[in-house]
Amino acid sequence: MAVHRKRFRVEDIAGGEMPILDVTEEAIPMHSEIMAELRAIRAQMAKGAAPLPLSGSAAMAAIDASTAHELSEARTMLDTYRAQIEQCEKLKVELDLIHDAIDRTKREIATLHGKSFDGGEMAKVNGELGAVVGGTEQATQQILEAAESIDQAASAMSKVDSIDQQKRLADDIQERVISIFEACNFQDLTGQRISKVMGTMKFIEQHINAMMEIWGGVDAIKSHVVPPVDNRSEDDKLLNGPKLAGDVGHASQDDIDALFD
C-alpha cells in the first residue's frame, strides 16, 4: 500500500528540526505479513530446505514413473528367473538320461554277472576249455603211438617170410589204424565243448556291445581307450601263432618259397 509522506522544506532541516514521517496505519499489516513470510523461510532453511509439496499432477507423474521403473525391474527379474528355470529343466532332462543309462548299464552288468561271471558258469567254461586241451593232447598221443606201431610193424613185415608172422603183423597194423580212427573222435567232442564256450563268449559280447551303445556306441568308447603298450620281449613279439583266414600282415608259404627262387 502507498505511504503518505509529509512534505518538508530544506529550511526546516537547517532550522534544526527533523521532520517526522507520517506513516499511516495501512503499512503495519504489510510489515507483519513480510515478517511472517521471512520467519517461514527461515524455518524451512533451518529444517534443511525441505522440498516443497508437489502439485497433484506432478505427484501423479512421479508415482507413475516410480511404478513404471519397478515394473521394468520386475519384468527383468522375471525373465532372468524364466531363463534359469529353462536351464534347470534342460539339466534335469540330461540328468534323467544319465540316470537311465546308468540304470540300464547296471542291469546289463547284473545279467552278465548272473549268467556268465558267477562262479559256476565261469568254472564250467574253464572246465570245458581244460577238457578240450586234455582231450586234444590225449588223442594226439594215441595217434602218435599208433603211427609208431604201424611203422614198426610195416618194417618187420618186410623182413619176415613166414605167412603167420606177416598175418599177425597185418592184424596189429589194422588194430592200430582202428585206434587212430577212435582217437580222431576227439574232434567231435572238442567241437561241442568249444561251441559251449563260444556261446558264453557271444552272450558276453552282446551285453558288452549293449552297454557300449548305451554310452554312445563304439566311436564314443574309442575316445577313452588307452593306447596299448606292448611289453613283450623281442622273441615273444615274433611268436604270433597261426593266422586266421583273412588276417593281414602274415607271410604265406608262397611268399617264403619266392625268397628261394
Side-chain angles (χ1 to χ4, degrees):
M1 296 181 65
V3 178
H4 297 281
R5 299 178 184 276
K6 183 178 181 180
R7 295 183 178 182
F8 60 90
R9 296 179 61 85
V10 177
E11 291 81 2
D12 297 335
I13 297 175
E17 295 180 1
M18 185 71 181
I20 300 174
L21 298 177
D22 185 11
V23 180
T24 62
E25 294 179 357
E26 295 179 357
I28 296 175
M30 178 62 68
H31 176 74
S32 300
E33 292 177 1
I34 292 173
M35 295 303 295
E37 292 293 336
L38 290 175
R39 283 193 295 269
I41 293 173
R42 185 179 299 172
Q44 290 181 355
M45 292 177 65
K47 293 180 180 179
L52 297 175
L54 299 176
S55 61
S57 59
M60 291 300 296
I63 294 173
D64 292 340
S66 177
T67 304
H69 180 68
E70 293 178 357
L71 183 61
S72 177
E73 290 182 351
R75 287 177 178 175
T76 303
M77 187 177 298
L78 183 61
D79 294 337
T80 303
Y81 288 159
R82 185 178 292 110
Q84 292 178 354
I85 291 173
E86 291 178 356
Q87 293 295 329
C88 291
E89 290 177 351
K90 292 180 181 179
L91 180 60
K92 183 180 181 302
V93 172
E94 296 294 333
L95 291 176
D96 289 340
L97 293 175
I98 294 175
H99 179 271
D100 181 65
I102 293 174
D103 187 61
R104 290 166 57 192
T105 305
K106 287 181 179 180
R107 289 199 298 268
E108 295 293 339
I109 293 175
T111 303
L112 286 174
H113 179 75
K115 299 290 184 178
S116 300
F117 288 105
D118 58 344
E121 188 68 22
M122 293 307 297
K124 185 177 180 180
V125 170
N126 292 330
E128 294 290 349
L129 292 175
V132 168
V133 174
T136 303
E137 183 179 359
Q138 182 179 359
T140 302
Q141 185 66 29
Q142 184 176 349
I143 291 172
L144 291 175
E145 291 176 357
E148 185 178 0
S149 298
I150 290 173
D151 182 62
Q152 293 176 357
S155 298
M157 186 180 292
S158 63
K159 296 178 181 179
V160 298
D161 296 331
S162 173
I163 300 299
D164 293 336
Q165 291 180 352
Q166 291 180 356
K167 186 177 183 302
R168 285 196 298 272
L169 291 172
D171 291 340
D172 189 20
I173 291 173
Q174 188 175 6
E175 290 178 1
R176 296 299 180 180
V177 170
I178 293 173
S179 176
I180 291 174
F181 288 149
E182 291 176 352
C184 288
N185 290 330
F186 82 94
Q187 184 178 2
D188 184 35
L189 297 176
T190 300
Q192 294 178 15
R193 296 183 188 279
I194 292 178
S195 296
K196 293 180 181 180
V197 176
M198 290 180 63
T200 302
M201 298 305 294
K202 287 181 178 179
F203 176 81
I204 295 173
E205 181 183 7
Q206 290 175 356
H207 287 275
I208 290 177
N209 289 334
M211 285 188 285
M212 292 173 66
E213 291 296 331
I214 290 172
W215 294 103
V218 179
D219 294 335
I221 300 299
K222 284 182 179 179
S223 60
H224 300 280
V225 175
V226 179
V229 179
D230 194 354
N231 296 323
R232 298 180 298 172
S233 63
E234 295 299 329
D235 293 336
D236 293 337
K237 291 180 180 179
L238 299 176
L239 301 177
N240 295 318
K243 76 181 187 70
L244 297 173
D247 284 350
V248 296
H250 295 270
S252 64
Q253 187 63 43
D254 294 335
D255 296 333
I256 296 174
D257 294 339
L259 296 175
F260 298 96
D261 293 340

